[in-house]
Amino acid sequence: MGLLNAFKLSLLLPKKKAVYQLNRVKTKDFLLYILLLHVLFALPNGVSLIVDFMKSEDLDNTLLLAGFLYPLLVIMTGTIIISLLAMVGVLVRWMTKRKLVYQLLWKMAMYACTYPVILYVISSLLHQTTTIEYIGLLLLFLIIFTKMILTYPQMKK
């Protein structure tokens, strides 16, 4: 139930109530949510990778690459990208003088990625994704993430 609740709340972002409730999600559910989002993000490329390798009839390499190495690569790069996006949040936090720590910004960045990831998957499954679409998804993330940061109070002087 916690994973579905986290997903439902992340779809309500950047509403203030949803932002605060997401910070109360249990760590177990948050980690499952991260994994689910990474799997969803890897789905379009993973399917095409499996289809390409099945055509080559090299089942051992297909299993190794599609079953183990590709998901590991997606999780590692996804974690690095979320960390970089959280650093953008540190910059926004500093500019707006908000009272937030990096760990919370990392968690918020992960939840703010929900809409862009869903739109990316839909777009990738329908057609080849263009650079303009990537920029649009990044802007969507930045808008949601900035609004989430702005829901927190400013630091007292």
Side-chain angles (χ1 to χ4, degrees):
M1 185 63 187
L3 183 64
L4 291 175
N5 186 40
F7 180 69
K8 184 174 67 173
L9 288 171
S10 66
L11 291 177
L12 295 174
L13 291 176
K15 292 181 180 178
K16 188 175 187 175
K17 184 178 179 182
V19 172
Y20 287 124
Q21 285 182 343
L22 279 172
N23 292 329
R24 288 171 179 71
V25 171
K26 295 178 184 175
T27 304
K28 173 191 76 162
D29 297 328
F30 174 66
L31 292 174
L32 284 173
Y33 188 79
I34 291 172
L35 189 61
L36 177 72
L37 215 57
H38 279 89
V39 167
L40 185 64
F41 185 76
L43 187 66
N45 292 333
V47 169
S48 65
L49 182 70
I50 289 171
V51 168
D52 290 343
F53 278 113
M54 291 304 246
K55 289 178 184 175
S56 70
E57 298 178 2
D58 190 9
L59 193 58
D60 292 339
N61 286 340
T62 303
L63 238 49
L64 178 67
L65 286 172
F68 181 71
L69 294 177
Y70 181 68
L72 220 90
L73 179 67
V74 168
I75 290 170
M76 285 181 4
T77 55
T79 304
I80 291 169
I81 290 170
I82 294 296
S83 299
L84 292 173
L85 292 173
M87 289 301 294
V88 171
V90 169
L91 181 65
V92 172
R93 177 206 66 178
W94 176 75
M95 289 172 41
T96 60
K97 296 176 177 54
R98 300 297 163 162
K99 200 173 170 180
L100 293 165
V101 294
Y102 178 77
Q103 294 85 346
L104 187 57
L105 288 168
W106 200 94
K107 195 174 183 181
M108 290 167 57
M110 189 66 217
Y111 286 124
C113 284
T114 302
Y115 275 119
V117 166
I118 290 171
L119 292 174
Y120 165 76
V121 169
I122 292 170
S123 176
S124 295
L125 291 174
L126 295 177
H127 59 81
Q128 185 68 29
T129 312
T130 63
T131 306
I132 293 172
E133 289 173 320
Y134 287 129
I135 292 170
L137 293 173
L138 181 62
L139 287 175
L140 176 63
F141 166 80
L142 290 173
I143 290 168
I144 293 170
F145 194 41
T146 303
K147 286 183 177 182
M148 288 173 69
I149 291 171
L150 292 176
T151 62
Y152 283 87
Q154 287 187 329
M155 290 187 245
K156 295 179 182 176
K157 293 183 180 181

